[in-house]
Amino acid sequence: MKYNRTYNFSAGPAMMPEPVLEEIAAEMLNYRGSGMCVMEMSHRSKVFQQIRDEAEADLRKLMSIPDNYKVLFVQGGGTVQFAMVPMNLMKNGVACYVETGAWSKKAINEARKYGEVKIAASSADKNFSYIPDCSNLDIPENADYVYICENETINGTTYYHLPDTKGKILVSDQSSMFLSRPCDVSRYGLIWAGVQKNVGPAGMAVVIIREDLLRDDLPKFVPTYMSYKTHADNDSLYNTPNCWAIYCCGKVFKYLLANGGLEAMHARNEEKAKILYDFLDGSKLFTGAVVKEDRSLMNVPFVTPSKEQDADVVAASKAAGFDNLKGHKSVGGLRASIYNAMPKEGVEALVEFLKKYEQEHA
């Protein structure tokens, strides 16, 4: 059956690959002869244990995750990780954060509840339209870690060069660029990603953490569930996990492996983003919001000369069959999120729509 699918440019929850959705639909009432949907089965069952184990194994293969890193599936998404990181890693009570937009700011505000936060670099001076120079950060000797949001979903910036952390642990929120390009996991102490942007349904984060960072000596105020070691020691089955999200993410991991892995995905993402950025660079009506060298391949914010025209474009785009092009409420404007699952045809169709709109409103 062919469905009438819209091009969904949402920043998350976002598009998933159609072949994955078709597989999920086919297994909805009876997963591989079990007689039940994954949403109905026990997280302690052998059937689900295989789903979880395969998901972790496939992610390890996709990212070439070293053996001394644990892979965790943790409920709660990004907001929970803003607290879990400082709760688990702040031994000395000091951490460095690079402030590059809305999500790093949220992480900073949460971390301040648990210790001292030093802003090692910031791009606030130019409305977070670039990534600051992180080649020689002022990092105090007693800092426990350096934290970055590697791709700012709202502001549309991404790192192409990781900070020099001067030997300190690098922690990265990779939510909106997770699995969009190859990643050398060994350069990080901890990577986390809310899965609802580029991998699966909302309600869960993947955490990749080096084993030596798992602690028994957490402060007494840290809830049992908020300890990374709790999840590592129990293979993410300490409590009933988000079984459905793990299952769906596992399907996406297999899909990526079968379609060339992260190298192939990166090439496709570069090709898609170039189509949209080339249009914006040549447009007299639409303007990109980020400096060229720091542009995200996943989230593309742009504006017209006025808020009123931004709103008109959003309305016209919805009438034309495109969805979720409205910029985040905190910054306004327009934004196209073009994650892995967005086909090249979707970006081309969007550009044709924007060209036509510009011609009609010149």
Side-chain angles (χ1 to χ4, degrees), residues 161-235:
H161 305 284
L162 292 179
D164 179 358
T165 64
K166 299 181 179 177
K168 300 299 181 182
I169 298 159
L170 177 61
V171 177
S172 177
D173 167 6
Q174 287 194 359
S175 295
S176 54
M177 43 83 73
F178 191 55
L179 303 185
S180 67
R181 66 190 193 200
C183 172
D184 182 357
V185 175
S186 67
R187 298 187 66 185
Y188 305 79
L190 188 154
I191 295 168
W192 70 264
V195 301
Q196 75 275 15
K197 298 175 182 299
N198 217 15
V199 191
M204 190 181 79
V206 173
V207 176
I208 302 168
I209 182 170
R210 211 171 60 216
E211 287 180 347
D212 63 288
L213 301 179
L214 300 170
R215 295 171 57 194
D216 283 315
D217 61 340
L218 292 180
K220 289 184 179 180
F221 70 79
V222 178
T224 304
Y225 187 84
M226 299 290 276
S227 164
Y228 288 128
K229 194 170 189 300
T230 296
H231 297 278
D233 289 348
N234 292 277
D235 292 330

Side-chain angles (χ1 to χ4, degrees), residues 62-306:
L62 257 180
M63 297 183 72
S64 301
I65 299 173
D67 291 342
N68 65 323
Y69 284 74
K70 292 286 189 180
V71 173
L72 314 177
F73 300 110
V74 183
Q75 286 165 282
T79 304
V80 169
Q81 291 309 309
F82 294 152
M84 281 187 80
V85 168
M87 280 183 176
N88 283 263
L89 300 187
M90 269 191 176
K91 280 188 174 182
N92 299 321
V94 180
C96 291
Y97 279 65
V98 181
E99 184 186 44
T100 51
W103 295 110
S104 52
K105 285 177 68 176
K106 283 182 178 289
I108 288 164
N109 290 335
E110 195 70 17
R112 282 178 170 149
K113 297 177 181 179
Y114 306 103
E116 179 187 346
V117 172
K118 177 179 173 59
I119 307 300
S122 176
S123 54
D125 62 326
K126 294 184 179 177
N127 203 28
F128 301 120
S129 60
Y130 71 103
I131 296 293
D133 181 6
C134 296
S135 61
N136 188 27
L137 298 175
D138 180 14
I139 302 172
E141 189 57 39
N142 63 342
D144 292 306
Y145 59 88
V146 177
Y147 181 106
I148 63 171
C149 178
E150 201 162 337
N151 190 102
E152 286 279 2
T153 318
I154 292 173
N155 302 91
T157 57
T158 198
Y159 286 75
Y160 289 101
H161 305 284
L162 292 179
D164 179 358
T165 64
K166 299 181 179 177
K168 300 299 181 182
I169 298 159
L170 177 61
V171 177
S172 177
D173 167 6
Q174 287 194 359
S175 295
S176 54
M177 43 83 73
F178 191 55
L179 303 185
S180 67
R181 66 190 193 200
C183 172
D184 182 357
V185 175
S186 67
R187 298 187 66 185
Y188 305 79
L190 188 154
I191 295 168
W192 70 264
V195 301
Q196 75 275 15
K197 298 175 182 299
N198 217 15
V199 191
M204 190 181 79
V206 173
V207 176
I208 302 168
I209 182 170
R210 211 171 60 216
E211 287 180 347
D212 63 288
L213 301 179
L214 300 170
R215 295 171 57 194
D216 283 315
D217 61 340
L218 292 180
K220 289 184 179 180
F221 70 79
V222 178
T224 304
Y225 187 84
M226 299 290 276
S227 164
Y228 288 128
K229 194 170 189 300
T230 296
H231 297 278
D233 289 348
N234 292 277
D235 292 330
S236 301
L237 294 169
Y238 172 75
N239 68 325
T240 307
N242 190 333
C243 299
W244 183 251
I246 293 171
Y247 162 73
C248 294
C249 290
K251 290 284 188 188
V252 173
F253 300 156
K254 289 186 184 299
Y255 169 83
L256 294 175
L257 285 169
N259 285 273
L262 302 190
E263 291 81 3
M265 198 54 57
H266 186 211
R268 289 175 204 156
N269 288 330
E270 285 187 316
E271 182 183 17
K272 288 188 302 184
K274 186 177 187 301
I275 293 168
L276 182 49
Y277 282 125
D278 281 354
F279 163 73
L280 293 174
D281 288 342
S283 173
K284 293 180 180 177
L285 179 66
F286 299 99
T287 306
V290 176
V291 300
K292 287 186 179 182
E293 58 268 27
D294 298 326
R295 287 170 166 173
S296 168
L297 299 182
M298 298 286 97
N299 312 104
V300 184
F302 56 103
V303 294
T304 68
S306 71

